[in-house]
Amino acid sequence: MHCPYCRGTDTRVLDSRVADDGGSIRRRRTCSSCAKRFTTIEQMQLTVLKRSGATEPFTREKAVAGVRKACKGRPVSEDDLACLGQAVEDALRLSGAAEIPAHEVGLAILGPLRALDEVAYLRFASVYRAFASADDFEREIAALRADRVISEPTPQPTG
């Protein structure tokens, strides 16, 4: 570990604490060369297992890039996409697995995207789930409508 002040390599850990509900470790360190203190945070590295069997580090930007294409022309801001990316990463980290199948990343995207924009959700789902016909779209739209009816409160009679 290099000291951020003097770039010295002789540092010592003073204190370690679990942070983010076990998702990271916060370490308080001191440098033997300049005697300054600094904090490091160690976070679990998520890796994505691709269909080919290869693995690569999870990057939020790559996950958001596919969603950005589905949101083209929709009223979705970059802030919305950043929040979606954070929600996806949080969901994957909460699973507790260090290696996530690529399919699970797609599933983690579908829920937040559905809440964000239904049209973008349909676009993404059509590619992700490989819709083969208009019937696939109709089934998914029917499911969206059914969920919307269930989640809307029933008006209570007044009088």
Side-chain angles (χ1 to χ4, degrees):
M1 175 60 58
H2 291 277
C3 170
Y5 301 103
C6 72
R7 303 295 297 157
T9 57
D10 188 19
T11 64
R12 196 168 55 95
V13 175
L14 300 174
D15 180 46
S16 294
R17 295 179 188 214
V18 174
D20 298 328
D21 294 328
S24 63
I25 298 174
R26 180 183 175 272
R27 298 195 194 278
R28 193 72 182 138
R29 297 176 178 266
T30 186
C31 176
S32 300
S33 302
C34 69
K36 292 197 178 191
R37 292 183 176 190
F38 59 98
T39 301
T40 59
I41 297 176
E42 297 175 18
Q43 200 167 33
M44 176 181 68
Q45 175 68 52
L46 288 174
T47 56
V48 177
L49 177 63
K50 302 182 101 175
R51 284 181 289 205
S52 67
T55 59
E56 66 180 41
F58 172 81
T59 56
R60 192 182 312 168
E61 184 51 43
K62 187 169 181 181
V64 169
V67 175
R68 186 176 285 115
K69 291 175 189 171
C71 292
K72 189 172 176 100
R74 300 296 303 154
V76 176
S77 70
E78 283 298 316
D79 286 344
D80 293 334
L81 291 175
C83 289
L84 181 136
Q86 183 65 53
V88 169
E89 185 172 351
D90 290 347
L92 295 174
R93 285 192 185 282
L94 284 175
S95 75
E99 192 171 84
I100 310 289
H103 179 74
E104 295 295 321
V105 176
L107 290 176
I109 290 170
L110 286 173
L113 183 57
R114 186 176 188 167
L116 180 63
D117 187 277
E118 290 179 344
V119 173
Y121 165 79
L122 283 171
R123 289 174 178 171
F124 187 86
S126 71
V127 173
Y128 180 72
R129 293 186 177 154
F131 286 6
S133 68
D135 291 339
D136 294 334
F137 279 96
E138 288 175 356
R139 275 192 292 279
E140 197 63 38
I141 291 169
L144 282 170
R145 286 186 176 139
D147 287 349
R148 196 182 306 143
V149 169
I150 291 170
S151 65
E152 290 177 356
T154 306
Q156 299 296 322
T158 57

